[in-house]
Amino acid sequence: MTYDLAVIGGGPAGVAGALTAALAGLRVALLDSSVRLGGQYFRHAADPEPAPGLERFLRQARALDARADVLLRHQVWSVSREPGGDLVVHCVTRAEGSAERQVVLRARRLLIATGAHDRPLPFPGWDLPGVLTAGGAQALLKGNGVVAGRRIVVSGTGPFLLPVATGLAGAGARVLGVLEANGGLGLARHPLLALGKAGEAAGYAASLARHRVPYRTRQAVVAAHGEREVEAVTVARLDQEWNVLATRVVECDTVAVGYGFVPQIDLGTQLGCATRDDVDGSPVLDADAAQRTSVPGVWAAGEPTGVGGWLLSETEGRIAGRAVVADSRGSRPASGAESGLLLRRRERGRAFGEALQRAYPVKPGWQGWLRDDTTVCRCEEVPLARLREAQDLGATDARSIKLLARPGMGWCQGRICGYAVSCLAGEPQRPPRRPIAQPVTLGALAELPDVSDLPDVPPAH
């Protein structure tokens, strides 16, 4: 069966786009690697403090389940185009208690709504058990009801630290502090944008106060200590560029760190979609007013086109879904009051996302937190000294450092260390060039009928 639309990603953008198309009568399949819809924001199996908008999302998910093929536990690792024009989606699935198997799905159109993942920064001891990303701590709690630790320090930059800390505190953990590396002004330079989030911010502030969680600005965890697991952290007071001014030691068993997000655009770059740099320098997929990418038949919505929160993602998903419906009918997207409302909502959401990125940038002083023996690439166990050695041998960019010292050549293929390596190399981030977007076993690849089914990665733009 060939679908009218395949949607990859079951978060707010993917569900909104798929539901919009399905309600118009299109045959839709939505694929997501998780066991339930929701993405990072709406993981809802065991959420002690439901996220704003959760009930609305659950209504959309139920409506979609009745009108489309919702394929959970399906991890998409490649998308290619057949000579006839249809898009071929390669994924692996593993039902509970069964072996992994290869699934190939065909569609006339594709919506990429793959979200984003945490952007960590390396520091001495960040490879100890007990150090995890803020999103990882939240996923454990929301998806499985597991509290990451008993005595937790939350550190990084950006408002995402707040729901993570309040969720952990509400689940019974003792959160020793929320450490914001930037200053406390946040969106003070954008009062109209801040006003729309005032209620949400007040709710987090009240929750932190209720659980007696201190919120400290211009501070960050710059080292973790312990023999076999985290036993304590070094907390530094920082200047505006994140250089260390003074330090203290805090005993804890868990550290949750987050420095923004990295949009997941691997599938788009596989297909040759053009990219642009977001406000913080992250490569994102370039989409037009209807969320179309530069590749015919491919749309993108949510974080792959720029990080801006769940409401922006949902809005972009609806706009993309309406454009897909119009494309299937050979017409232009419908105009009118609803269309105008969506476009205005998207404009406000993008302005908010851009303001957040300007208010909570990653400053270069973090590189001074590292020692020569600090692990930069955890997969390949590459310390900072080996990167510097590669530079001494003539490596001038992240790619040449990778060839000489192997950072980014392990299991995650640079998803965790790629940002740090680019910064240490002194160059901007580059779009990913991965022919396989997610880890896949050789057994699953062996199920492909012919080696010609493997995708080609188009040349970089």
Side-chain angles (χ1 to χ4, degrees):
M1 179 171 63
T2 299
Y3 289 92
D4 296 314
L5 173 66
V7 179
I8 303 175
V15 168
L19 180 59
T20 300
L23 287 171
L26 271 63
R27 181 178 294 170
V28 178
L30 183 145
L31 303 95
D32 192 273
S33 60
S34 184
V35 297
R36 64 184 66 87
L37 296 175
Q40 178 65 31
Y41 190 79
F42 288 128
R43 294 178 190 269
H44 51 268
D47 193 349
E49 296 194 15
L54 176 60
E55 286 304 317
R56 171 166 144 179
F57 175 81
L58 293 178
R59 288 195 300 270
Q60 294 177 357
R62 286 191 292 268
L64 178 66
D65 193 52
R67 294 170 173 83
D69 290 339
V70 178
L71 307 176
L72 301 176
R73 297 180 185 267
H74 282 64
Q75 182 168 277
V76 177
W77 59 270
S78 171
V79 180
S80 56
R81 191 184 290 278
E82 288 185 326
D86 285 344
L87 292 151
V88 181
V89 180
H90 295 274
C91 55
V92 291
T93 183
R94 183 190 291 111
E96 196 166 350
S98 65
E100 185 177 84
R101 65 187 180 89
Q102 179 77 217
V103 175
V104 177
L105 178 148
R106 286 172 170 78
R108 296 182 181 89
R109 300 164 194 85
L110 179 73
L111 172 57
I112 298 172
T114 41
H117 60 79
D118 287 84
R119 178 169 58 201
L121 295 178
F123 53 83
W126 78 308
D127 50 346
L128 279 171
V131 179
L132 67 166
T133 64
Q138 188 187 60
L140 282 173
L141 182 62
K142 286 190 170 188
N144 304 99
V146 175
V147 182
R150 296 180 299 276
R151 294 168 54 84
I152 304 175
V153 175
V154 179
S155 179
T157 190
F160 181 60
L161 303 180
L162 299 178
V164 173
T166 56
L168 291 170
R174 183 180 176 189
V175 180
L176 303 176
V178 178
L179 309 178
E180 167 57 60
N182 282 298
L185 292 177
L187 291 175
R189 296 183 180 89
H190 307 274
L192 293 179
L193 295 174
L195 187 62
K197 294 289 183 178
E200 192 174 335
Y204 290 135
S207 181
L208 291 178
R210 185 168 63 252
H211 296 290
R212 298 183 178 179
V213 178
Y215 180 84
R216 306 282 186 241
T217 59
R218 297 253 182 254
Q219 295 189 25
V221 169
V222 297
H225 314 285
E227 288 295 322
R228 294 183 175 85
E229 58 189 14
V230 172
E231 298 172 3
V233 294
T234 295
V235 173
R237 184 163 56 87
L238 308 174
D239 66 12
Q240 289 190 353
E241 295 302 312
W242 294 12
N243 299 301
V244 175
L245 299 176
T247 63
R248 58 189 171 93
V249 175
V250 176
E251 293 185 356
C252 63
D253 59 34
T254 306
V255 188
V257 293
Y259 290 90
F261 299 94
V262 178
Q264 298 196 81
I265 63 172
D266 303 70
L267 297 175
T269 55
Q270 274 187 7
L271 288 166
C273 297
T275 63
R276 62 175 179 84
D277 290 340
D278 208 354
V279 171
D280 66 348
S282 297
V284 296
L285 298 180
D286 193 16
D288 67 9
Q291 302 297 140
R292 285 190 190 87
T293 71
S294 62
V295 175
V298 179
W299 285 256
E303 274 79 6
T305 63
V307 175
W310 73 270
L311 189 56
L312 173 61
S313 293
E314 180 195 277
T315 302
E316 290 183 347
R318 289 181 63 187
I319 292 172
R322 289 162 63 92
V324 167
V325 171
D327 183 78
S328 71
R329 297 170 177 171
S331 61
R332 299 181 63 181
S335 58
E338 183 181 4
S339 177
L341 176 64
L342 289 173
L343 295 177
R344 290 192 296 274
R345 186 182 296 167
R346 181 178 63 184
E347 184 178 357
R348 289 194 302 270
R350 287 182 174 175
F352 176 75
E354 291 173 1
L356 276 184
Q357 292 184 59
R358 291 190 176 95
Y360 298 98
V362 175
K363 299 294 185 67
W366 69 266
Q367 298 179 38
W369 308 349
L370 310 184
R371 303 190 304 253
D372 282 347
D373 62 350
T374 301
T375 298
V376 176
C377 173
R378 293 159 58 141
C379 297
E380 293 292 296
E381 299 181 347
V382 180
L384 176 65
R386 201 180 304 169
L387 270 66
R388 297 303 188 210
E389 181 183 348
Q391 290 176 310
D392 291 341
L393 291 172
T396 57
D397 56 24
R399 183 177 183 276
S400 54
I401 290 175
K402 176 179 177 179
L403 293 174
L404 288 174
R406 295 188 60 82
M409 296 184 74
W411 178 259
C412 84
Q413 288 292 289
R415 290 173 179 83
I416 301 301
C417 70
Y419 174 81
V421 173
S422 292
C423 291
L424 292 166
E427 70 169 9
Q429 301 166 73
R430 305 293 184 188
R433 309 298 306 164
R434 302 182 184 106
I436 295 177
Q438 298 290 337
V440 60
T441 65
L442 291 175
L445 291 177
E447 289 186 21
L448 290 171
D450 191 274
V451 72
S452 62
D453 284 350
L454 287 171
D456 292 324
V457 177
H461 287 276

